[in-house]
Amino acid sequence: MDTLVNLQAFLATADAAGFSAAARKLKVSTSVVAKRVTQLEDQIGIALFHRSTRQLRLTEAGQQYVHRARGVVADVGDLLSRMGEKDHDLIDHLRIKAPTSLTIARLADVFSAFQTENPRLKLEVVLIDRPVDPVTEGFDVAIGAFPHSFGGVVDEPLCALKRLLCAAPAYLKSHGMPRHPRDLVEHRCLSFLPTGPEWIFDGPRGRITIQVRPLLNSNEGHVLVKSAIAGNGIAFISHYLAADALRDGSLQVVLPEFPIPDVWVKATIPERRVNAAAVQALLQQLKRALSPTL
């Protein structure tokens, strides 16, 4: 178990940016923490920290291995908790990548409820609006709706994501209602930055791809909704973000006869973490909260 306690000392030191703070967290002396980190460095033959009289910071190797070390320690904790079945509590550290708009609108409540139900579980939620390989970037769960695939991972579908075009009635009265997707090139368009300016539709004769010139790009969907309600243009947006405005008439659907293909929100998990009790519990909570369609 020396390697495990040395890894725990390394992680505590990295989190606290110092031996003394790590020692307080681990309830041991500062010299013990420093000795454990040194033993780990000697074992692997690599310096994990730059040491000076004023600060302690991770080396490039330390930055590279800190997330992998966290996964190893979490795996051991998960194994021990499963073997002991002590109170059936989940004890783990989950590092989660999640998209900004979806987290603000829905997932923040899911994560909060999940941690309330599992008070011994530590969560680290990072909002990123790009494809992420959880293996190389050190995540236990990466949530997103991009079609990218990676090696050494398992993809778990969570729900279908419905998208549409919408605009304020005042904008459509002033600028006219487009009749075909190609008309959009003459309109003021509000685009979701991760999706890009290439908008795709399903038409009666097949798929249609249009390259628009956005007036506004944003990676946060609420910004697009607010701008559309203000009459600034036609927004390409997820249905769940525009639903309230569609109900009260602040926005109306544009080109409903040319639907935008749904995409799937999925959770991407490193193979070595997919059977961890905390990961499986989180997946079930996400599926309950999101399915069947956003």
Side-chain angles (χ1 to χ4, degrees):
M1 296 292 284
D2 285 349
T3 299
L4 177 60
V5 295
N6 291 347
L7 285 170
Q8 290 171 329
F10 164 54
L11 293 174
T13 304
D15 291 341
F19 291 133
S20 297
R24 288 192 293 272
K25 179 180 178 181
L26 296 175
K27 296 181 174 57
V28 296
S29 69
T30 301
S31 62
V32 167
V33 174
K35 180 179 179 181
R36 289 175 179 174
V37 171
T38 300
Q39 286 176 340
L40 182 61
E41 290 176 321
D42 290 342
Q43 182 179 358
I44 63 177
I46 298 173
L48 297 170
F49 292 98
H50 293 295
R51 294 165 170 81
S52 72
T53 55
R54 294 192 173 185
Q55 65 175 351
L56 189 73
R57 57 188 177 87
L58 287 166
T59 63
E60 184 176 345
Q63 293 172 351
Q64 180 180 354
Y65 291 116
V66 67
H67 297 309
R68 295 178 67 180
R70 203 181 303 282
V72 170
V73 172
D75 286 344
V76 173
D78 178 68
L79 174 62
L80 294 176
S81 65
R82 282 174 180 250
M83 291 173 67
E85 292 292 324
K86 191 175 182 179
D87 301 325
H88 299 279
D89 283 352
L90 295 177
I91 306 171
D92 208 331
H93 179 126
L94 296 185
R95 188 166 186 259
I96 304 163
K97 172 266 177 187
T100 303
S101 298
L102 182 57
T103 301
I104 293 171
R106 298 289 180 85
L107 296 184
D109 289 338
V110 177
F111 296 144
S112 178
F114 185 61
Q115 194 157 42
T116 299
E117 294 172 10
N118 301 282
R120 302 175 71 184
L121 190 66
K122 185 174 181 180
L123 300 183
E124 179 182 347
V125 180
V126 183
L127 304 188
I128 302 175
D129 294 305
R130 60 172 173 80
V132 165
D133 180 353
V135 175
T136 59
E137 297 196 42
F139 288 97
D140 300 292
V141 179
I143 302 168
F146 295 100
H148 298 69
S149 59
F150 303 97
V153 303
V154 174
D155 288 335
E156 283 280 349
L158 299 177
C159 67
L161 179 64
K162 182 180 179 182
R163 300 172 298 167
L164 48 74
L165 293 187
C166 57
Y171 172 86
L172 296 171
K173 183 178 180 179
S174 175
H175 294 82
M177 175 72 79
R179 302 299 176 188
H180 190 276
R182 61 174 169 266
D183 297 339
L184 294 169
V185 298
E186 303 300 329
H187 277 268
R188 298 159 67 88
C189 294
L190 316 175
S191 184
F192 187 52
L193 194 59
T195 304
E198 186 176 88
W199 293 3
I200 300 173
F201 303 85
D202 284 331
R205 297 183 179 179
R207 190 143 289 186
I208 301 167
T209 301
I210 301 296
Q211 193 82 16
V212 300
R213 298 187 296 271
L215 174 74
L216 170 67
N217 281 298
S218 178
N219 70 326
E220 214 297 281
H222 295 88
V223 173
L224 300 178
V225 171
K226 294 290 187 183
S227 187
I229 291 172
N232 291 330
I234 298 174
F236 183 107
I237 196 71
S238 297
H239 178 270
Y240 73 92
L241 290 170
D244 289 343
L246 292 170
R247 277 192 293 268
D248 67 24
S250 302
L251 294 175
Q252 67 183 77
V253 178
V254 175
L255 294 174
E257 64 275 28
F258 293 91
I260 297 168
D262 291 347
V263 293
W264 272 86
V265 178
K266 64 182 180 179
T268 302
I269 307 148
E271 289 177 348
R272 63 174 182 78
R273 291 289 281 155
V274 73
N275 291 319
V279 170
Q280 286 298 316
L282 176 60
L283 286 176
Q284 295 308 311
Q285 190 114 338
L286 288 168
K287 290 177 180 179
R288 286 194 298 269
L290 298 178
S291 62
T293 303
L294 272 175

